[in-house]
Amino acid sequence: MNEERLLDVIRRVAVNAVNAGNPSDYCIGTVISTNPLSIQLNQQEEALSEDFLILTDLVRDFTVDITVSHQTENRAGGSGDPSFASHNHDYTGRKKIIVHNGLSVGEAVILIRQAGGQEFIVLSRVSDHANVTGQWI
């Protein structure tokens, strides 16, 4: 057997071994419930329960510290009393905040299947959050 043919055989064997080992791959799923979390990959397969899902910070609520250093905007009372005159306050220091990234029913998500396994990492949403509410939007 010549050298080129031997290399081709080795390459094919290696590719077949990787494919047979069920390597990791990405897929798109749809959130069908949030408590407990359940994601449907396609109509033929059973939905994935939270036991098989690893969530990143992009798809779950989490707590984080931030550092702030600014002043509030001027505000005035309404009684005309001098103690209610327009004023502001310093707002500084390390503050703990909650980032609300939890998934909502109907959102499409990108998942990566663990190579050779049954667990999936839920990486991110396919589009913007479905249910964003907040004061500054």
Side-chain angles (χ1 to χ4, degrees):
M1 184 180 284
N2 69 26
E3 226 176 275
E4 272 185 49
R5 185 146 187 243
L6 179 60
L7 286 174
D8 286 339
V9 169
I10 292 171
R11 283 187 193 113
R12 275 188 274 138
V13 168
V15 167
N16 289 340
V18 169
N19 289 340
N22 210 5
S24 65
D25 199 3
Y26 84 93
C27 50
I28 304 295
T30 303
V31 178
I32 58 174
S33 71
T34 57
N35 195 8
L37 181 60
S38 184
I39 297 176
Q40 185 76 47
L41 293 183
N42 60 47
Q43 298 300 338
Q44 290 77 32
E45 293 185 29
E46 191 173 321
L48 299 170
S49 69
E50 59 189 21
D51 294 337
F52 299 98
L53 302 172
I54 300 167
L55 306 179
T56 66
D57 285 349
L58 294 174
V59 294
R60 67 179 185 87
D61 294 349
F62 65 97
T63 304
V64 65
D65 285 342
I66 63 171
T67 300
V68 294
S69 180
H70 64 273
Q71 290 185 335
T72 60
E73 295 177 6
N74 283 334
R75 289 284 175 142
S79 69
D81 187 300
S83 64
F84 293 107
S86 181
H87 65 281
N88 57 24
H89 299 276
D90 287 338
Y91 186 69
T92 60
R94 188 171 175 147
K95 310 294 181 188
K96 183 189 297 187
I97 63 167
I98 298 172
V99 178
H100 298 281
N101 272 347
L103 295 168
S104 296
V105 171
E107 288 187 304
V109 292
I110 302 168
L111 303 96
I112 294 181
R113 183 177 40 82
Q114 176 189 22
Q118 295 180 345
E119 287 188 314
F120 290 77
I121 297 173
V122 185
L123 290 178
S124 186
R125 292 167 173 77
V126 173
S127 58
D128 287 343
H129 291 240
N131 295 316
V132 176
T133 60
Q135 182 179 1
W136 294 327
I137 295 179

